[in-house]
Amino acid sequence: MKKFIVKITAAGAILACFAYCTSTKNATGNAATSLKDAYKKDFLIGTALNTQQIEEKDAKAAALIPLQFNAITPENIMKAEIIHPQWDQYNFDLADKIVAYGAKHNIKVNGHTLIWHSQLPQFARRIKDVDSFKTFFTNHINTVAGRYSGKIFSWDVVNEALNEDGTMRKSIFLDKMGDGFVTEAFRLAAIASPNTELYYNDYNNEQPKKREGCLALVKKVQAAGVRIDGVGIQGHWHLGRVPLKDIEESILAYHALGLKVMITELDIEMLPRNFQGADVNQRQASNPALNPYANGIPDSLLQQQATDYANLFKLFLKHKDKITRVTFWGVNDGQSWLNGWPVPGRTNYPLLFDRAFNPKPAYHSVMALKK
Ligand code: G3I
């Protein structure tokens, strides 16, 4: 009994500390203690969860996530490689857990992702004949989307099907099924999960050429009479170089097609690299010059990041009638994928919470917009 009381007290203390450290005033003068509270009339505020967080193994993350966010996306565990490892074998353990987590905390779950060329199971890559591949494709969508029908809010149905110039990416899906695979994925998902919102998701699709490709792809799905509800702009951007004009033009262009717009994987990277985007196949060799802030980041850069995030959220607020969700790709800096990619073993600082879950200047600048 004593141990139980101590645990409750510790969790309560963590919560109270977050509430105190992160509070600001909202429009009505009441203290808004969280992102989701401050932006509740505007759009959902989401985050991506890793396995530890889904299983609530980290007390600080377990306290912070439901306090700050009202939408979650699994960072990896719904990808085909994990959820569908063999032709006739599915692994729903962790996916069921994130669905239960969402229900327990009243948080909307976005499924990520049904059809993606990356993180495909080995058996799927080895399928040679077209009919067998189509059967895999159909079974995968029917089984996975069908299982979570009515249980999750939305799906990233197709992820990253485009090249930077707006043409279709060369992938096993394009190779075996032609460019109609996108429409077919949405058609199957709409049948398997009729009440779930269905999205196309990509990085750099705010850039003019890729945006054109994305608009063409959406129009093709719509022309076939198939439901598509929204487009996700991932939002992997760089310090001091956030393309606000391209983002605004894209929000308007996607909305003009009748789509909801989401920022689905937001982070602002602080470290140098020689290309833009999030193609996980692109890598750079490790080199100390590429890891300049291993022992701490100068305040001037944190201030620049705060300005970048504030400018972004000002834009999102301007278009809050078109944007339904803004999701960060991770909870705190230490858990971001950008510590391991495109250069392994770096110390990056892309999110609103630092490694100890303390709010950074960027958190306060985003909250200050709602004062
Ligand atoms: O789970 C294995 C573990 O068993 C193994 O020991 C370890 C050794 O490398 O790898 C672990 O898997 C890693 C996995 O993340 C889980 O941590 C993979 O190597 C690693 O490549 C994988 O990276 C993920 C990446 O997608 C690749 O698919 C990132 O966490 C994830 O943040 C990232 O997310 C993508 C979105 O899905 C789509 N948009 C771009 C975004 C960023 O790349």
Side-chain angles (χ1 to χ4, degrees), residues 75-76 79 112 116 119 159-160 234 236 265 278 280 329 337:
E75 187 176 0
N76 284 299
K79 291 172 179 171
H112 176 82
W116 189 28
Q119 287 184 287
N159 195 43
E160 301 173 7
Q234 291 184 6
H236 297 293
E265 305 184 11
V280 287
W329 204 239
W337 70 295

Side-chain angles (χ1 to χ4, degrees), residues 35-242:
L35 294 163
K36 72 169 188 189
D37 184 20
Y39 284 84
K40 69 178 176 228
K41 294 200 173 133
D42 307 313
F43 34 74
L44 296 169
I45 301 280
T47 187
L49 299 193
N50 63 27
T51 302
Q52 282 265 101
Q53 292 157 349
I54 292 167
E55 297 192 320
E56 299 187 72
K57 287 191 171 155
D58 175 338
K60 283 197 169 180
L64 183 126
I65 293 161
L67 185 71
Q68 293 288 345
F69 303 100
N70 48 20
I72 46 177
T73 300
E75 187 176 0
N76 284 299
I77 56 90
M78 277 184 160
K79 291 172 179 171
E81 177 182 68
I82 295 167
I83 209 166
H84 189 179
Q86 303 291 339
W87 177 269
D88 54 1
Q89 188 193 320
Y90 292 83
N91 174 9
F92 291 122
D93 291 358
L94 287 164
D96 286 356
K97 281 187 186 170
I98 197 169
V99 170
Y101 182 106
K104 176 175 155 193
H105 295 292
N106 195 22
I107 296 179
K108 289 190 165 66
V109 178
N110 174 59
H112 176 82
T113 169
L114 289 170
I115 296 300
W116 189 28
H117 63 277
S118 195
Q119 287 184 287
L120 267 180
Q122 280 304 323
F123 84 88
R125 291 186 196 284
R126 291 197 202 104
I127 299 171
K128 290 278 176 278
D129 76 286
V130 167
D131 285 345
S132 301
F133 192 81
K134 284 184 181 163
T135 303
F136 153 71
F137 186 93
T138 305
N139 288 348
H140 180 73
I141 296 176
N142 285 347
T143 308
V144 179
R147 183 178 182 91
Y148 299 110
S149 178
K151 295 186 177 156
I152 65 173
F153 181 74
S154 53
W155 267 112
D156 294 333
V157 177
V158 177
N159 195 43
E160 301 173 7
L162 293 164
N163 292 316
E164 298 306 286
D165 66 359
T167 58
M168 293 297 290
R169 178 193 288 271
K170 196 168 158 23
S171 72
I172 192 166
F173 298 107
L174 188 69
D175 183 39
K176 293 280 191 289
M177 298 174 64
D179 61 9
F181 82 84
V182 176
T183 300
E184 180 62 2
F186 279 90
R187 193 184 67 77
L188 290 167
I191 295 167
S193 195
N195 299 314
T196 302
E197 295 200 357
L198 306 177
Y199 311 139
Y200 176 74
N201 190 50
D202 214 328
Y203 59 84
N204 286 351
N205 55 342
E206 78 284 354
Q207 295 298 312
K209 283 188 182 157
K210 200 161 182 177
R211 180 203 307 151
E212 286 309 312
C214 194
L215 291 165
L217 184 146
V218 169
K219 283 181 192 163
K220 207 170 163 183
V221 177
Q222 292 175 327
V226 171
R227 179 166 67 89
I228 174 167
D229 300 299
V231 163
I233 298 170
Q234 291 184 6
H236 297 293
W237 290 310
H238 300 264
L239 189 72
R241 288 188 283 131
V242 178

Side-chain angles (χ1 to χ4, degrees), residues 239-254:
L239 189 72
R241 288 188 283 131
V242 178
L244 294 169
K245 181 170 170 285
D246 296 325
I247 297 167
E248 181 162 36
E249 286 172 4
S250 302
I251 293 168
L252 293 168
Y254 294 135

